[in-house]
Amino acid sequence: MTSKLDQLREITTVVADTGDIEAVARLKPVDCTTNPSIVLKALGTPMFADAIKEAVAWGKKQGGNSEAVSSAVADRLAISVGAALVKLVPGRVSTEVDADLSFDTEASLAKARAIIAAYKDRGIDQDRILIKLASTWEGIRAAEVLQKEGIDCNLTLLFSKAQAIACADAKVFLISPFVGRILDWYKKSTGKEFTPEEDPGVISVREIYNYYKANDIKTIVMGASFRSAGEIEALAGCDRLTISPNLLDELAKDEGKLERKLSPESRKPDPKVSVDEKTFRWMMNEDAMATEKLAEGIRAFAKDLGTLRTMVQKELQLAAA
């Protein structure tokens, strides 16, 4: 029998949501996504010990252990994780712009261009990288500029159709609507349990997918942040799904039949609209879940980024001693 993972691969591009090099080599996804949490976890493994030594030595040459140098070394380490993943996948690796820049379009643009330049210095072309930005109004505006420059973007922390519409207007390459975090919010706020078919996160992605296909929008929909294999199965046929290694393993061991749930042919009419800044902010204001989860996600990524920078600063101080 064919596993559900292999069946899924026939209708959906499978992406690994991890910085675990061994898992990526074993599971063979097309793409990989990273974020500050994933980078921090990857750097805690023996595999990146030499990368940390190299980055710290580089930072020491830049002039010590100032905040600016710590930040630059942290960036260098994130690129090291991304570069290792590029060697293992045939497609793209997403690398995230600092979460603390989520409300600063110009700073996000500068950081994104610096990320692309850093990969280029390692011989990695920009067509192997996706710049990952939070789906704030400012992040979407940065993505719009980058797309015009030929730099493809992955808009993350996406929880609402308003964000998806704004991303489509900006002609971004890919969006990552978060399934599990939406479910988390509704379970906490209602006290209810949901089947995969009732799952508010699944329903949200299905609505966004339908809107895009109904209006011939080319932006790729990549469901993310899954809590169960059931959620993944409920979105079988979505353009892409980014999945953690434990759930990829679960699907690989399951030889049951996988039913396709999404396809461009099954789309239903959904009139195309556009959103300006005022409309976007109002729609977000009216969606408590999207507003809260976006803010929470930015805080969490910023916290892990801060942890990474603190770790780097300690290593720099030890190197200077």
Side-chain angles (χ1 to χ4, degrees):
M1 291 289 290
T2 305
S3 73
K4 284 186 177 178
L5 179 57
D6 286 337
Q7 293 175 66
L8 181 65
R9 283 177 166 143
E10 292 177 4
I11 55 176
T12 291
T13 298
V14 173
V15 179
D17 193 12
T18 182
D20 184 335
I21 300 298
E22 292 180 356
V24 172
R26 174 169 51 83
L27 295 164
K28 297 179 171 57
V30 174
D31 294 345
C32 276
T33 57
T34 68
N35 59 43
S37 308
I38 288 172
V39 169
L40 192 61
K41 187 175 180 180
L43 292 173
T45 65
M47 189 167 291
F48 287 99
D50 287 343
I52 292 173
K53 289 178 183 176
E54 184 279 331
V56 169
W58 177 86
K60 190 176 178 182
K61 291 177 183 176
Q62 309 310 306
N65 58 359
S66 69
E67 187 174 321
V69 171
S70 297
S71 179
V73 172
D75 291 345
R76 193 173 182 87
L77 287 169
I79 300 298
S80 292
V81 174
L85 292 168
V86 165
K87 295 176 182 177
L88 295 175
V89 297
R92 311 273 197 128
V93 171
S94 291
T95 297
E96 194 149 336
V97 167
D98 299 350
D100 54 10
L101 303 179
S102 295
F103 303 103
D104 189 331
T105 297
E106 291 304 316
S108 292
L109 284 169
K111 178 64 69 163
R113 292 166 182 149
I115 289 170
I116 292 298
Y119 275 114
K120 188 175 181 180
D121 287 344
R122 300 192 190 206
I124 299 169
D125 293 336
Q126 68 185 44
D127 62 2
R128 299 294 312 282
I129 305 302
L130 292 179
I131 293 296
K132 205 170 180 185
L133 296 147
S135 298
T136 57
W137 181 258
E138 295 80 3
I140 296 168
R141 297 282 66 78
E144 184 174 36
V145 173
L146 293 167
Q147 290 291 160
K148 290 175 181 177
E149 295 176 0
I151 298 172
D152 288 334
C153 298
N154 170 356
L155 272 291
T156 188
L157 294 175
L158 193 145
F159 302 97
S160 72
K161 192 173 179 180
Q163 292 169 293
I165 291 170
C167 287
D169 290 347
K171 295 182 170 55
V172 305
F173 180 78
L174 179 149
I175 61 169
S176 295
F178 277 32
V179 179
R181 296 194 195 191
I182 293 176
L183 174 63
D184 294 344
W185 191 91
Y186 278 98
K187 285 175 68 174
K188 183 177 180 180
S189 65
T190 66
K192 291 171 55 178
E193 295 294 325
F194 298 86
T195 67
E197 287 297 316
E198 301 167 334
D199 189 312
V202 169
I203 292 169
S204 176
V205 176
R206 287 180 175 179
E207 289 178 348
I208 290 167
Y209 177 91
N210 184 75
Y211 176 79
Y212 277 18
K213 303 312 175 191
N215 294 289
D216 196 30
I217 292 165
K218 302 304 181 186
T219 300
I220 293 165
V221 180
M222 183 173 74
S225 171
F226 293 106
R227 298 294 180 258
S228 69
E231 287 181 320
I232 296 166
E233 293 181 46
L235 292 174
C238 192
D239 299 333
R240 301 187 189 188
L241 297 174
T242 179
I243 306 170
S244 63
N246 63 310
L247 291 176
L248 287 171
D249 281 329
E250 185 176 336
L251 291 166
K253 293 173 185 175
D254 189 339
E255 295 186 345
K257 182 172 176 52
L258 180 72
E259 179 185 351
R260 182 165 192 159
K261 298 290 187 177
L262 298 178
S263 70
E265 292 72 28
S266 63
R267 62 193 174 193
K268 299 174 183 177
D270 190 355
K272 188 175 184 180
V273 296
S274 293
V275 296
D276 58 13
E277 182 177 357
K278 178 182 175 181
T279 305
F280 176 86
R281 295 196 186 282
W282 181 252
M283 291 173 73
M284 290 295 289
N285 182 71
E286 292 298 281
D287 189 335
M289 177 277 297
T291 296
E292 291 173 21
K293 297 308 287 186
L294 174 60
E296 178 185 88
I298 291 171
R299 286 196 300 269
F301 285 160
K303 181 180 178 181
D304 284 337
L305 181 61
T307 300
L308 174 58
R309 289 172 177 169
T310 299
M311 179 198 82
V312 165
Q313 196 157 39
K314 288 179 180 176
E315 293 288 340
L316 286 168
Q317 288 169 351
L318 287 172

